[in-house]
Structure formats: structure tokens, C-alpha cells
Amino acid sequence: MPGLMLLDTPSLYYRAFYGIPESMTSPDGMPVNAVRGVIDMIAMLVRQYSPHELVACMDADWRPAFRVAAIPTYKTHRVAEGGAEETPDTLAPQVPVIEQVLDAVGIARIGVPGYEADDVMGTLTARASGQVDVVTGDRDLFQLVDDSRPVRVLYTARGVKNLQVVDEVAVAEKYGIPGRSYADFATLRGDPSDGLPGVPGVGDKTAAALITRFGSLEALLRAVDGDGDLTSGQRARLSAARDYLRVAPEVVRVARDAPLPEADLTLPAKPRDPDTLTALSERYGLGGPLERLTSAL
């Protein structure tokens, strides 16, 4: 059923950048592999799923202060000189072009100062009244799945042409946890790629077993303080990690209440600004991808 589709735009343009050769350039020689890839991804998604609403969710802040305050190591390995995110030199100039194309087409583009794209998606999902499809290559967003609405993730790990549909059943089958428990599971396990240490000595299997047994991180911590069914080793490890477990959920869980601007989310039937789109097409050599996207719309 047509509904709301949310694009994890940074995830998509990184995938396009690394998946398409940099030899794909504009007439003046600027690499436009990420730009072309994102346009073609959106065209494929629109053609296959026909969403009524579509939002390109953006990182207005890739490393929000509230997450860094909670866990200072959050994404530290990606910090470039001056505090910006470390981005490939040939990708950085393409991001503004992607934004200009989205605006000229008329696809809603939302980013909020102090929040990541994940938080935009979390908030839009919380506000939605119908089906939501979240397009991402980030497993962290598995925490949004909800079969009752439904909210599902279209996971791009194998590419947009081979999307994996992730729902509660898929989460339960892959990780051995209740379908809506991914955030608690990820908190215990940690994620080195985001600078989240997790609980030392607690890997995937132990984290899954604990969350399945107790139902939630909150219930598990109550068991640590009480007479819960834990081995002495588990109790010791969890007790030693209490400071981490106190703050980590705020880092791992996406915001559901980010202050989003008002925006028309409706997928346009034709480009909003065709003259600008034509100029962008000529400037960056985007004729083929833009024709495919316009046709899909």
C-alpha cells in the first residue's frame, strides 16, 4: 500500500559513491558518481514502491552534542580536522548538488540542527499514521520496525536492486530477540563503528539471550539490582558497566520528538522547478538519471 517512504540520504550517497566509479564525471571533469547513483536509486524506489509521500532525511548534525555528552567516544574515529566529519574529497562537493537536485525535483528534504538523519526518520515515523518504509544501510534503524502499523526497513546492504525487507519477524530470526528490541540489544552489544563500547564480555549471543529473557534493558537492570536470574559473571559485568548502560540508550535510540520544520511530504508528479533541473542536468551531465526519475514520478 502506498504510504510514507523515508530515505537515509547520507547512507544512500555513500553507497552510491563507493558503488559507482569516479570516472562518471560532469562535462568539466567533476566526479558525479554519487549524484547519479542517488537519482537512480530514488527512481527505482519510486517505480517499485509508489509511495504517496517521500522524504530525503539529512544529517544537519552528524555528531549531535547530546550524544557526545553522553558518550564522548561517539563517532570520534570519523572526526576530521576542525571537528567536521571525515568525508572523501571527491564526495563532499557532490552533496550540495544532490541537495539542489532534490529541491528542484520537489522531493522534501529535512534536516534539523542538532540531530542526525536517523532522528528525522524516527520523528517522522512516530508522527505517521500509516505504513512507513525506511530505506537505509544502517542496522541501527532496525529499532523502528513495528509490524502493527506497519513500519519496515528496506535494507540496502545488497544494493537498492536487491533490497531486504526487514520487519519484526526478520529481526527476531536474524538476532534471536523480540522484534522491537533491537535498540536494547545494540546497547548491550555495542558498535565499534560508532564508538559505542557496549558491555565488555557481552557479545551478540549473550546480549540476545539477556534481552529475550528479561524483555527490555530496563527490566534487565532491575534484575541486576535484585535477585534476577543471572550468573555471577553476568551480574558482575553488567554492574561494572552500569555507568555506560545509564547513558547509552540516549545515544543508541533515535529521537522521536525532533523539532521538524513544516514541509509538504507529497511525492510530486512532475519536477517543481524544471528550469533549475534542466540547468543542473546540463551543468553536471545528469540527463539519463533525471529522465529516469522524471519518468518514474
Side-chain angles (χ1 to χ4, degrees):
M1 294 292 294
L4 170 63
M5 177 173 282
L6 305 176
L7 306 179
D8 183 354
T9 313
S11 173
L12 294 184
Y13 61 63
Y14 268 96
R15 172 161 291 279
F17 177 76
Y18 287 112
I20 299 173
E22 287 187 42
S23 56
M24 194 72 70
T25 61
S26 66
D28 67 359
M30 171 185 166
V32 290
N33 50 329
V35 181
R36 294 176 66 95
V38 168
I39 295 170
D40 273 330
M41 288 177 184
I42 295 174
M44 284 187 282
L45 290 164
V46 168
R47 195 175 295 281
Q48 183 171 353
Y49 292 96
S50 301
H52 175 64
E53 297 178 310
L54 180 67
V55 184
C57 304
M58 311 298 294
D59 275 341
D61 190 337
W62 71 281
R63 194 168 177 254
F66 73 91
R67 289 194 169 100
V68 176
I71 298 182
T73 58
Y74 182 63
K75 294 186 177 179
T76 50
H77 63 292
R78 301 187 211 170
V79 178
E81 186 175 349
E85 182 179 15
E86 195 171 63
T87 305
D89 291 343
T90 50
L91 171 59
Q94 297 188 60
V95 176
V97 180
I98 292 169
E99 294 175 343
Q100 292 171 52
V101 168
L102 292 170
D103 293 347
V105 172
I107 292 173
R109 180 171 63 86
I110 300 179
V112 181
Y115 293 89
E116 299 177 61
D118 292 13
D119 302 309
V120 175
M121 289 180 276
T123 301
L124 287 169
T125 297
R127 292 181 180 182
S129 57
Q131 176 176 318
V132 180
D133 284 338
V134 178
V135 184
T136 184
D138 186 352
R139 292 179 302 173
D140 290 343
L141 289 163
F142 290 177
Q143 65 184 276
L144 294 176
V145 300
D146 182 344
D147 289 356
S148 68
R149 300 186 49 189
V151 178
R152 60 187 186 172
V153 168
L154 304 181
Y155 190 47
T156 64
R158 298 174 185 167
V160 173
K161 292 182 179 179
N162 297 288
L163 291 171
Q164 298 170 257
V165 178
V166 178
D167 54 13
E168 287 187 45
V169 173
V171 170
E173 288 179 350
K174 183 170 180 60
Y175 298 103
I177 58 176
R180 299 189 201 177
S181 300
Y182 188 84
D184 287 347
F185 166 75
T187 299
L188 286 175
R189 180 193 61 188
D191 186 350
S193 69
D194 278 340
L196 300 176
V199 177
V202 174
D204 284 19
K205 291 183 178 179
T206 301
L210 290 171
I211 292 301
T212 299
R213 186 187 313 162
F214 293 98
S216 69
L217 184 59
E218 291 78 7
L220 173 60
L221 292 177
R222 288 195 297 269
V224 172
D225 294 333
D227 297 322
D229 181 19
L230 294 164
T231 67
S232 59
Q234 289 171 343
R235 190 180 301 277
R237 284 190 287 271
L238 292 166
S239 295
R242 179 167 287 283
D243 287 346
Y244 162 77
L245 292 172
R246 177 176 53 82
V247 298
E250 183 179 10
V251 178
V252 174
R253 292 172 186 162
V254 301
R256 308 293 182 109
D257 58 354
L260 305 185
E262 291 294 324
D264 181 4
L265 311 185
T266 306
L267 181 68
K270 59 183 180 180
R272 174 186 297 158
D273 188 344
D275 291 342
T276 297
L277 200 61
T278 297
L280 289 168
S281 177
E282 294 174 352
R283 166 70 177 82
Y284 296 104
L286 305 175
L290 287 175
E291 286 177 12
R292 289 188 284 274
L293 177 55
T294 303
S295 174
L297 294 176

